[in-house]
């Protein structure tokens, strides 16, 4: 009896202490979740404040364009007579900017697009003037193309969140509008992405807006629509950020006739929300979305990214640069035009002479 009297209060105290710990733990979890929600809301508010009232002084210049397709031999064996019902043209928009890797990226992408019939390539370069070297490179592919110089307004270059590629895509949209392109399919393809050729045959039949998975995106390594019973029901993306359409720029295509129904189509200078606001501006509805890539079970485009490096400065004598008997002068001058490296006679890294196996100033 005495033992029961002693242990009963002890058990009651233990229960009370455990209950107190549970209450304190629940309050702590609630406090943490409240802080996270406030931080997320604050970040969203910061973005809205930064981009709420900004000028949009776009400028663009069409450097060169060609509507002649000289690639017929590449696909003549499978080409059919489409004179009565021609295939829709894919307007493939590529924003690009001067950097060490630009020519390599454009070369790789161009070699892919050479195999795609009925395609017009719009390459919008983030420069105030036309880049003749880039234009000559585009000519070599034989693809119908438009080369545009479309610099980002200086106002946005100093922002914490820089809306990269927006000026280029806006210039492409302006070109489509100014040239009265009302039929075909619009697709935004970055110069460092990787594309399966099947993608182009899939998006060519887009009636309104088609969507499909993009690999190597975010923390999930994938961004994709969620498809149920053949219809898009939602989205799987590691950065929803209160976006109505949480998709990647490479994950959708738009029919130009459908886009033409919306008079105020645009893409805002709002980093992280370019896709969302563009799709809002065309009046997209969930029932308008056409899932591609076998009901979004295949990956036909990858968001690959090339590591950017600073172009080196190579120190080389004027004699070598002028010496027609040595290839280095010609080669290094070409690399400088590409933005891959720079040459100087007074500073930079010495050119190495491998034959002598020692540093030599040539």
């Amino acid at each position: 009896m005495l033992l029961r009297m002693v242990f009963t209060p002890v058990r009651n105290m233990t229960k009370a202490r455990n209950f107190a710990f549970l209450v304190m733990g629940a309050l702590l979890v609630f406090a943490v979740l409240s802080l996270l929600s406030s931080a997320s809301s604050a970040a969203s508010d910061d973005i809205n404040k930064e981009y709420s009232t900004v000028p949009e002084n776009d400028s663009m210049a069409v450097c060169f364009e060609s509507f002649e397709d000289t690639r017929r031999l590449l696909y003549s064996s499978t080409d059919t007579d489409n004179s009565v019902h021609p295939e829709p043209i894919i307007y493939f928009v590529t924003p690009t900017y001067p950097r060490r890797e630009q020519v390599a990226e454009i070369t790789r992408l161009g070699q892919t697009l050479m195999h795609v019939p009925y395609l017009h390539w719009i390459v919008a370069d983030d420069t105030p003037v036309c880049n003749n070297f880039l234009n000559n490179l585009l000519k070599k592919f034989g693809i119908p193309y438009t080369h545009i110089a479309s610099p980002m307004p200086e106002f946005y270059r100093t922002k914490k969140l820089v809306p990269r590629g927006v000026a280029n895509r806006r210039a492409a949209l302006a070109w489509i509008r100014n040239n009265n392109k009302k039929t075909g399919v619009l697709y935004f393809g970055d110069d460092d992405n990787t594309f399966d050729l099947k993608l182009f045959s899939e998006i060519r039949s887009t009636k309104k807006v088609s969507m499909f998975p993009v690999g190597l995106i975010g923390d999930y390594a994938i961004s994709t629509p969620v498809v149920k019973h053949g219809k898009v029901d939602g989205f799987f993306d590691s950065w929803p950020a209160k976006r109505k359409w949480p998709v990647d720029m490479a994950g959708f295509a738009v029919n130009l006739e459908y886009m033409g129904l919306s008079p105020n189509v645009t893409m805002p200078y709002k980093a992280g929300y370019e896709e969302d606001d563009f799709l809002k501006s065309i009046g997209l509805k969930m029932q308008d979305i056409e899932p591609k890539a076998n009901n979004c079970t295949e990956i036909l485009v990858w968001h690959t990214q090339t590591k950017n490096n600073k172009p080196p400065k190579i120190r080389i004598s004027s004699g070598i640069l002028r010496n027609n008997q040595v290839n280095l002068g010609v080669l290094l001058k070409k690399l400088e035009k590409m933005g891959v490296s720079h040459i100087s006679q007074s500073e930079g890294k010495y050119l190495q002479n491998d034959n002598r196996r020692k540093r030599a100033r040539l």
Side-chain angles (χ1 to χ4, degrees), residues 180-230:
N180 202 30
K181 302 297 183 182
K182 295 182 178 181
T183 60
V185 176
L186 170 68
Y187 181 74
F188 297 109
D190 289 353
D191 59 7
D192 58 352
N193 287 357
T194 302
F195 303 94
D196 189 314
L197 291 177
K198 183 182 177 182
L199 174 71
F200 301 96
S201 60
E202 294 257 333
I203 66 174
R204 199 182 297 278
S205 61
T206 300
K207 298 296 186 294
K208 292 183 178 180
V209 175
S210 59
M211 289 190 178
F212 32 87
V214 181
L216 300 179
I217 287 287
D219 294 337
Y220 299 158
I222 190 72
S223 174
T224 181
V226 176
V227 180
K228 292 183 179 180
H229 307 297

Side-chain angles (χ1 to χ4, degrees), residues 319-356:
I320 289 294
L321 291 176
R322 294 194 301 264
N323 189 344
N324 294 329
Q325 304 301 316
V326 180
N327 69 309
L328 292 178
V330 176
L331 180 61
L332 292 176
K333 287 179 181 177
K334 286 185 178 180
L335 290 175
E336 185 165 50
K337 288 182 179 179
M338 296 179 190
V340 174
S341 62
H342 302 298
I343 52 179
S344 172
Q345 298 177 36
S346 59
E347 56 181 347
K349 295 182 179 180
Y350 281 102
L351 190 66
Q352 300 293 318
N353 186 338
D354 291 335
N355 292 330
R356 299 178 183 178

Side-chain angles (χ1 to χ4, degrees), residues 41-194:
S41 177
S44 178
D45 291 342
D46 289 343
I47 292 174
N48 291 333
K49 287 178 182 178
E50 186 165 10
Y51 292 100
S52 58
T53 54
V54 292
E56 294 186 354
N57 301 320
D58 295 339
S59 64
M60 61 172 281
V62 177
C63 302
F64 190 86
E65 55 189 9
S66 170
F67 296 92
E68 182 182 5
D69 192 333
T70 60
R71 304 167 297 152
R72 294 299 177 186
L73 291 177
L74 287 175
Y75 50 84
S76 59
S77 60
T78 58
D79 198 6
T80 57
D81 183 8
N82 290 286
S83 57
V84 179
H85 300 289
E87 291 283 332
I89 299 293
I90 294 175
Y91 291 93
F92 191 97
V93 176
T94 298
T96 187
Y97 63 99
R99 62 194 188 283
R100 182 181 181 179
E101 297 77 18
Q102 184 183 35
V103 171
E105 305 278 29
I106 292 294
T107 298
R108 180 174 57 189
L109 178 55
Q111 294 290 328
T112 296
L113 299 183
M114 284 177 70
H115 299 278
V116 184
Y118 308 106
L119 179 141
H120 189 97
W121 194 8
I122 304 175
V123 180
D125 196 13
D126 187 2
T127 55
V129 296
C130 298
N131 183 336
N132 289 330
F133 192 95
L134 177 60
N135 190 66
N136 290 333
L137 176 62
L138 295 173
K139 284 182 183 179
K140 290 170 58 176
F141 301 119
I143 305 169
Y145 76 98
T146 297
H147 175 202
I148 302 174
S150 51
M152 181 193 302
E154 290 298 323
F155 177 85
Y156 299 101
R157 295 187 187 276
T158 59
K159 295 299 175 183
K160 181 179 179 180
L161 301 172
V162 180
R164 303 186 187 280
V166 174
N168 314 77
R169 299 183 186 100
R170 287 168 65 96
L173 292 172
W175 182 88
I176 289 172
R177 182 168 52 248
N178 295 340
N179 287 273
N180 202 30
K181 302 297 183 182
K182 295 182 178 181
T183 60
V185 176
L186 170 68
Y187 181 74
F188 297 109
D190 289 353
D191 59 7
D192 58 352
N193 287 357
T194 302

